[in-house]
Amino acid sequence: MADHDITLTVDDTEESLTVESRTLLVHALRDQLGYTAPNVGCESGKCGACTVSLDGDAVKSCTILAVEADGSEVRTAGALADEAGGELHPIQAAFHEEHGLQCGYCTPGMLMTTEELLDGNPDPSREAIRRALKGNVCRCTGYGNIVDAVETAAERVDASDRPDSATGDD
Amino acid sequence: MFPAEFDYERADSVAEAVDRLAAHAEAGTEAELLAGGHGLVPAMKAGERAPDAVVDLDTEELVGVTERDDALAVGALTTYADLADSALVRERAPALADAAGAVGDVQIRNRGTLGGNLVEAHPAADPPAAVLAADATLVLVGPDGEREVPAADFFVGERETVVEPAEILTEVRVATGGEATEAGTNDAGYVRRTHPATGYALVGVAAVLDRDGETVTDARVAATAAVERPVRLPAVEAALTGGPVDADAREAAAAAAADGLDDGRFRSDPSASGEFRRQLLATCVERALAAAGE
């Protein structure tokens, strides 16, 4: 049925595209625009592999219509290394060093939820980390190393280094 | 897992959304209102719903919490995250803050809305228990204007509410009881037993207690996920009124938890039998009272 012309800012790049009413944000990002960091996992809003930041909030991009997001700012895990000048972002480096991934499919979503957590709570307890990552499912690690990775990331991420994603809550 | 095709219409105001919904009702086409989309979009992806049109209500006029007279006015498009994080809600309607914070996960709370949750009327949703225990008033706007519905009359069955096809839930007013709070304390809590896989409540109970000193002057207790719709528990409320909320009172209230609820009404599924939910209801009542009475 009806097509819609929309604009998105994805990882600081202005994008214009035409989507169907039923196109989901994750498919617009991956299939139409080539931003393949968010993965499609469960397709039912449970696993969190498709997590991106939408206007500053971590959301599941498989549960949002692309047309709903018209005019919004999207940030994917692909932005992290770009911002760190091609090096791994401190959150990514912590996941690497702590073996916070095996197959890696869930990792882009884990990274984006972790970034939101650390924005609001720079020194989270292990319990707070587990609570924050409730919506991100990992079938490999058993989560222990992921919690270690977030703790390590928290020690390294300096609030002043982060983009001003705290402005997205209004 | 793609939704069937539909027409997408954006409405920038409540009035425009009502007009659009009314036009669809008139034309005999099925339209769904999109709020946060975390009930509707998964249902459309699963093929459980296939409306001809989706009307996306996108307006700041329904976002946020304001203090008005002796009530908190919560805009229907306020997200769970904003409710759970609101100092005002935490202070004046703590059971609602607890229930909003119990929903789903971070990503869902960032997107899903109170109004969407109440109109979806999922039988195991958390906020309806808190809204019932808060004795909230729900404001509906439709083609014939505005009407106010007490929370106790809003839910009529599983996934069924009194909302008409061209009506929109715009606001949830939670009385914060100026006089009651001045005379004593207004304490509340929400406690649930969580399904380990789905994260939904197997049973959830919200309790709001008005007290003068140690004595309960008014108790409002409501359960979600126990039976087909969220319900107040009048026998529990009666057992509490006029006394302190000590261990004996909590036990007596828990013993009355299922009074008036026929065994056959308890939800039963492979995760939890009706009999188990009946037991959980008593346990959750006792724990919610402990949380509220502290």
Side-chain angles (χ1 to χ4, degrees):
Chain A
M1 281 190 215
D3 286 338
H4 305 272
D5 295 326
I6 66 169
T7 59
L8 298 170
T9 305
V10 187
D11 297 346
D12 290 329
T13 305
E14 295 272 340
E15 303 280 5
S16 298
L17 65 160
T18 302
V19 297
E20 286 184 68
S21 296
R22 62 177 178 164
T23 302
L24 301 166
L25 179 58
V26 68
H27 295 302
L29 291 171
R30 287 181 58 86
D31 304 341
Q32 293 185 245
L33 299 175
Y35 292 89
T36 54
N39 284 327
V40 177
C42 71
E43 294 210 62
S44 54
K46 297 183 178 69
C47 80
C50 65
T51 298
V52 300
S53 168
L54 182 67
D55 293 331
D57 293 326
V59 298
K60 292 172 178 171
S61 59
C62 79
T63 309
I64 293 172
L65 303 174
V67 63
E68 270 185 88
D70 185 15
S72 296
E73 189 158 329
V74 178
R75 177 173 157 80
T76 77
L80 295 174
D82 290 345
E83 282 165 12
E87 301 289 314
L88 289 182
H89 183 280
I91 299 175
Q92 289 174 306
F95 270 73
H96 178 202
E97 289 164 30
E98 299 289 352
H99 302 283
L101 64 146
Q102 287 178 29
C103 84
Y105 202 80
C106 70
T107 310
M110 292 280 180
L111 298 174
M112 299 315 288
T113 309
T114 298
E115 185 178 51
E116 171 164 317
L117 167 68
L118 298 182
D119 274 344
N121 182 359
D123 185 24
S125 66
R126 291 181 75 82
E127 177 55 34
I129 293 168
R130 286 185 176 270
R131 210 164 42 238
L133 292 176
K134 182 180 170 190
N136 292 84
V137 174
C138 174
R139 289 279 111 110
C140 303
T141 61
Y143 300 100
N145 289 357
I146 290 176
V147 179
D148 291 345
V150 177
E151 277 194 319
T152 299
E155 289 163 14
R156 293 187 193 162
V157 174
D158 178 353
S160 61
D161 286 348
R162 278 181 235 122
D164 56 347
S165 44
T167 57
D169 279 339
D170 50 19
Chain B
M1 297 290 277
F2 295 92
E5 292 186 349
F6 60 89
D7 282 327
Y8 172 89
E9 304 171 13
R10 181 172 294 185
D12 297 326
S13 69
V14 172
E16 186 188 352
V18 168
D19 284 348
R20 288 182 177 277
L21 292 175
H24 283 289
E26 181 83 6
T29 45
E30 190 193 339
E32 295 270 16
L33 189 72
L34 180 69
H38 276 46
L40 181 60
V41 173
M44 289 172 64
K45 287 173 69 179
E48 293 161 6
R49 285 196 249 175
D52 301 303
V54 167
V55 177
D56 181 6
L57 178 53
D58 188 10
T59 171
E60 289 293 317
E61 63 185 302
L62 299 188
V63 177
V65 182
T66 49
E67 206 164 12
R68 195 186 299 152
D69 304 325
D70 283 344
L72 280 188
V74 181
L77 292 179
T78 308
T79 62
Y80 306 119
D82 285 345
L83 279 175
D85 293 344
S86 161
L88 204 53
V89 177
R90 175 67 52 196
E91 183 191 344
R92 307 300 296 271
L96 185 57
D98 286 351
V103 174
D105 51 50
V106 169
Q107 295 97 315
I108 290 171
R109 290 195 293 276
N110 278 341
R111 194 73 188 165
T113 66
L114 178 64
N117 183 289
L118 299 177
V119 176
E120 284 282 315
H122 188 290
D126 302 289
V131 167
L132 275 175
D135 206 13
T137 300
L138 282 64
V139 182
L140 303 177
V141 174
D144 301 326
E146 186 178 297
R147 65 179 174 132
E148 296 182 3
V149 178
D153 298 337
F154 184 77
F155 301 100
V156 293
E158 181 166 330
R159 297 180 185 273
E160 271 184 78
T161 70
V162 298
V163 178
E164 299 288 339
E167 269 188 324
I168 293 171
L169 171 62
T170 57
E171 188 174 279
V172 178
R173 287 184 196 145
V174 180
T176 52
E179 282 183 31
T181 354
E182 276 167 36
T185 52
N186 174 288
D187 299 309
Y190 176 72
V191 165
R192 69 178 195 169
R193 172 69 178 263
T194 305
H195 187 290
T198 68
Y200 273 108
L202 288 171
V203 170
V205 171
V208 179
L209 304 173
D210 295 339
R211 286 189 290 186
D212 186 356
E214 291 297 304
T215 304
V216 174
T217 54
D218 189 27
R220 298 180 297 281
V221 183
T224 187
V227 297
E228 80 289 344
R229 63 185 169 91
V231 288
R232 288 272 290 267
L233 302 174
V236 171
E237 296 170 355
L240 290 165
T241 305
V245 191
D246 54 20
D248 288 346
R250 290 198 295 270
E251 198 176 316
D259 285 6
L261 298 174
D262 293 339
D263 284 352
R265 276 186 74 184
F266 280 84
R267 297 170 67 233
S268 186
D269 53 41
S271 308
S273 65
E275 195 185 346
F276 183 42
R277 280 198 166 86
R278 196 185 163 98
Q279 289 177 25
L280 287 177
L281 179 63
T283 307
C284 289
V285 163
E286 196 166 352
R287 291 181 184 172
L289 293 174
E294 275 166 0

